[in-house]
Amino acid sequence: MKSEGARLAHRTSLPLVGIVVLCVAQLGWGDDLQNRYFQGLRDRGLYLIAEDYAVSRLSTDLLLPDERAIVTIELVRTLTAHGGVSSPEQRDELWNEAERLLKQFSESHKNNPRLLEIQAEQALLPARFGDELAWELQINPVNQKLATATRDEFSKAIQKIGNVLVEFDKAPEKPSPSDLADGALTQAERVDLRQQLEFYLVRSKFFLAQTAPPGPDRTGLFLDVADEFDALSKNRPESKWTFKARKFLATLARDRGDYSRADSLLRSLARNAAEYSMQDEILAEQVRSQYDQGKLDDGLRMITDQIQSGHPLGDEVRSVAVEGLLKAWKIAGEKGQADFQKELLAEAESHHQRTRGKWQKLTYAKLSQVQQNLNLGDELATLVRQAQWNYHNGDLKQAIQFFQNAAALAHRQGKSDNAIDYAFTVGSIQIQQEDWPAAAKTFEDIVTNFPDAQKSQDAGLMKCYVLGRIYLQRPLQETRIAYEAALSKQRVQFPNTPSAIEATWMLAVHNEQRLQWTDAIDLYREIPADHPRYDTATLRIVILYEKILTRLKELNGPVEVWEDQLLEEIVRIEDHLPNHNVLDSMEQCQTALRIAQLLLQHRDRWYSVADHWLKRIEQTVEAQQREAALRNAKLDPLWTQIQRATSQLRIVSLAGQQRLGDARKIMLQLEQTDPSTMLGILLGLTEMTSKIDPLRQVEMGHLQLEAINRLEQSRSELTPQQQRMLDDSHAEAFIAIGNLKEAAEIYAKLIESTPRNERLLRKVIAVLLKRGKAEDLLEARDWWKRIEQLHKPGEADWVEARLEIAKIDVRVGEKEQALKLLGVTKTLYPQLGTPTLREEFDRFLEELKSQ
């Protein structure tokens, strides 16, 4: 344990850098200054500053253990308060972090001198969460889900605080001198902490009583809470917690109508309020007491007196002032004092503008309700609030009914915008309930009743969406026709509008899903080039061309016609792309990638044009990488996938241009290419081998072999059919580099698994004949005999096989055998297959006889 001298030495050894920021810590972490510093930031809504400062303090190794505990608690309180003014999602995140910090601290700092304070803060955390939710409940008192969540937090607080008080009693009553030297709680701090726990325990019970249903049980709860607050108020020594307990006694007295006792308690508290910085709270409670007694003028006068005395008004008093001014505003309205009403409302607005934090949210809610009454009128505003109340409490059926009534009333009153808004809300709730027919009627009614309203376009589009959902649930002809008719009507009724474009998109998607690909392409083309969906629409067009061409090839359809149309489409697409080499979006890169692939598959194999598209993609990815590096951000993994696919296609486009060295460089750079993709690259290389300059074929063959060697390492990941394709390409590569024997052996092995594959039989024959040795010729003759056996005698292929066998007989010196074979064939089957084949047969026979 450190001595006090060591602690002081540690503190004074800090460098004199950032002294302004660190001054609070230097003045003593154990006193109230630290708390007041953070509380001041919280009161001003400067949560991020407080959080950043606390985190920076916790990140240093210079903090002493007790200091670390204190800063952790202040950070937790700041996160809790920050969550109270955030969205529900952000609130959950902040509060989860607060819980995590305390749990982590208590588990990893079990010997911390302030561990008891950390444990107390863990117990108090649900009460602090409950406080924040109770604030929201004041603003939105009809939200039963919020009320339930608030009660749950206070219930947890009661249990946890009770448990920690038991542990509190087990701790030594007085800390040892060495513990105090290490920063443990002093006896006075321990007493204060216990009083704080006891106060929050009773206050949690008070809030539970507040949210309980009216009745005898609720009254009994308040009486019990009053007894407990009374006991707390008599605790010694006197502290802010005993003071706060008396203040709650005054509130309870006011709530039950005992104004004499409430005012007496508050006057007594007012004399000592400054000692605990509670002047604002006490004054606000005194004003509320006056309001409740019907002494509105006296309450407002108390606020005026405070202003005239030169004392600034706190946020709570300003909130109470707004409450009183709005009460006066209502009374003035009942008396027909319109001008006075304006003055009162202006003064209330002035107080609201000067209010901060949570109190400002409360004044805003009150003023908004008044403004709603002014804008809508009392009858319509009441209907809307009833609808909202039912919605927040989960009674969607009643909410729909009230919103429908509000929409009808607003329509009768000529408030078209309001009527449409309420009707839209009805439709949204019906969608939430998946009551699609009702929702469709709601949106149809909006279009019918308000044909010229701007939002009617949106209503028509929502009707289309709903009918689309009905069609998805019941894919019948009648539901399809209704959906298509609604989309077509939207396009005609609201031409050249965003809703019409969206309807066009929806109809295009619908046609694509129904495999009406040509209709879908025409609709996708209608999406304007400046529309956010344009890039995606263009991508869908290219994908559909790819599907159409694939299908036509399977059916032996007019592929060339569609390939020519594709080229025209590509020109149209390129005209709308940016002039610079870098593309503008990921969708544009995906479109360019598919265009390049289709160009490589085109009957004319547009290798150089495909390479142009691929280079644009490469430059775009490089630009994205540079931008990510400048922002120190992580690049979207999709860009990496696009880059890899581009490199794979470039191997083929470069090889097709006979730039084999460049293709080889890219292949060597490829990493993590899956076997199926690498096989596709290999097949592309294999296809073009016979089409390039014969002087470059050996180089192409070696390039193929490099791809094959990589694929052989993952052969087991390929399907049996893919393995056969790999072997086929392997044989082609051997042919290209002149290893004919190896090629023939591969073909022979492939024939073993598919003995009736005539394509492979002819392949092996061609290789053997090209090699030309005597044993090759004899083997080739045997393969021709195999083909002969696959066909009926007299068929063209059978005749061709016999002719080729005879030719090989001649080459191996068996002329007589050849003459005999040809003679028998012509005698038995004089037609000899086809005229062309007969002509070739006769010519060879005559040549043979003349030798």
Side-chain angles (χ1 to χ4, degrees), residues 85-135:
V85 296
S86 303
S87 66
E89 295 78 13
Q90 290 175 319
R91 179 184 66 207
D92 291 344
E93 184 179 343
L94 291 165
W95 287 3
N96 288 338
E97 177 62 10
E99 289 180 319
R100 187 193 68 80
L101 283 169
L102 288 174
K103 182 180 179 183
Q104 182 185 58
F105 193 102
S106 63
E107 291 175 352
S108 57
H109 298 82
K110 293 185 181 299
N111 295 321
N112 189 280
R114 293 237 171 194
L115 183 61
L116 188 62
E117 191 173 8
I118 290 289
Q119 292 170 338
E121 193 64 28
Q122 281 183 289
L124 290 168
L125 204 53
R128 300 195 196 280
F129 292 166
D131 285 351
E132 301 298 339
L133 295 176
W135 267 99

Side-chain angles (χ1 to χ4, degrees), residues 191-440:
V191 170
D192 185 79
L193 182 58
R194 183 181 184 87
Q195 287 187 353
Q196 181 184 2
L197 288 164
E198 291 171 341
F199 170 78
Y200 272 99
L201 178 64
V202 181
R203 203 185 68 145
S204 296
K205 295 177 182 178
F206 170 79
F207 279 117
L208 278 181
Q210 272 194 322
T211 56
D217 291 342
R218 185 171 186 262
T219 303
L221 287 173
F222 274 125
L223 290 173
D224 292 341
V225 167
D227 289 341
E228 293 189 49
F229 270 131
D230 186 57
L232 287 180
S233 71
K234 296 171 183 175
N235 277 345
R236 292 296 177 268
E238 185 88 14
S239 69
K240 68 178 177 181
W241 307 113
T242 58
F243 192 88
K244 284 178 176 286
R246 286 198 290 276
K247 184 250 184 183
F248 269 91
L249 283 173
T251 301
L252 286 163
R254 173 173 63 82
D255 286 344
R256 64 174 180 266
D258 190 351
Y259 301 115
S260 175
R261 175 165 168 72
D263 290 343
S264 174
L265 280 168
L266 290 169
R267 282 194 299 272
S268 173
L269 290 168
R271 288 193 289 270
N272 301 310
E275 182 179 351
Y276 302 106
S277 302
M278 289 181 60
Q279 304 97 311
D280 198 52
E281 291 183 49
I282 301 305
L283 176 59
E285 192 61 28
Q286 287 178 309
V287 174
R288 290 190 189 100
S289 180
Q290 297 302 305
Y291 290 170
D292 287 359
Q293 294 176 59
K295 301 175 182 178
L296 183 60
D297 290 342
D298 290 345
L300 290 171
R301 191 176 299 111
M302 292 178 73
I303 296 173
T304 303
D305 291 344
Q306 180 78 352
I307 296 172
Q308 291 176 348
S309 69
H311 292 95
L313 294 184
D315 294 320
E316 185 175 358
V317 175
R318 288 195 182 277
S319 174
V320 175
V322 169
E323 181 185 345
L325 289 165
L326 292 180
K327 289 177 183 287
W329 172 85
K330 185 176 181 181
I331 294 169
E334 293 168 354
K335 295 179 178 180
Q337 299 171 328
D339 291 340
F340 187 38
Q341 272 193 302
K342 290 180 181 178
E343 292 178 17
L344 291 168
L345 195 57
E347 189 174 351
E349 283 282 359
S350 176
H351 279 294
H352 164 67
Q353 293 299 331
R354 299 179 188 182
T355 308
R356 301 169 301 176
K358 297 179 292 187
W359 292 105
Q360 188 182 53
K361 289 178 69 175
L362 186 59
T363 58
Y364 176 79
K366 292 180 182 298
L367 285 166
S368 295
Q369 184 172 328
V370 169
Q371 197 62 51
Q372 187 181 53
N373 283 12
L374 286 173
N375 294 337
L376 302 179
D378 289 345
E379 184 181 3
L380 183 55
T382 300
L383 278 175
V384 171
R385 282 195 287 274
Q386 287 175 312
Q388 292 170 337
W389 186 89
N390 281 285
Y391 179 79
H392 284 304
N393 288 297
D395 191 345
L396 301 185
K397 183 178 180 181
Q398 280 286 59
I400 288 173
Q401 185 62 59
F402 278 113
F403 274 122
Q404 286 175 332
N405 294 343
L409 178 59
H411 192 192
R412 291 196 300 272
Q413 293 178 346
K415 298 182 174 75
S416 298
D417 289 343
N418 296 110
I420 294 173
D421 285 342
Y422 305 145
F424 251 96
T425 303
V426 170
S428 299
I429 296 173
Q430 289 165 337
I431 288 174
Q432 183 181 339
Q433 294 180 304
E434 298 189 2
D435 187 353
W436 307 114

Side-chain angles (χ1 to χ4, degrees), residues 811-827:
R811 290 181 66 178
V812 297
E814 298 178 3
K815 178 181 175 182
E816 293 303 321
Q817 176 66 24
L819 284 169
K820 181 179 178 181
L821 178 66
L822 294 175
V824 170
T825 301
K826 187 170 183 179
T827 299

Side-chain angles (χ1 to χ4, degrees), residues 574 577-585 588 612 616 619-620 623:
E574 189 163 25
L577 289 176
N579 293 325
H580 47 81
N581 288 329
V582 176
L583 299 171
D584 289 339
S585 69
Q588 288 183 3
H612 160 74
R616 292 191 73 175
Q619 290 171 323
T620 304

Side-chain angles (χ1 to χ4, degrees), residues 60-74:
T60 179
D61 294 332
L62 301 178
L63 272 183
L64 292 171
D66 60 317
E67 295 172 340
R68 186 169 297 279
I70 292 170
V71 177
T72 298
I73 289 171
E74 292 300 338

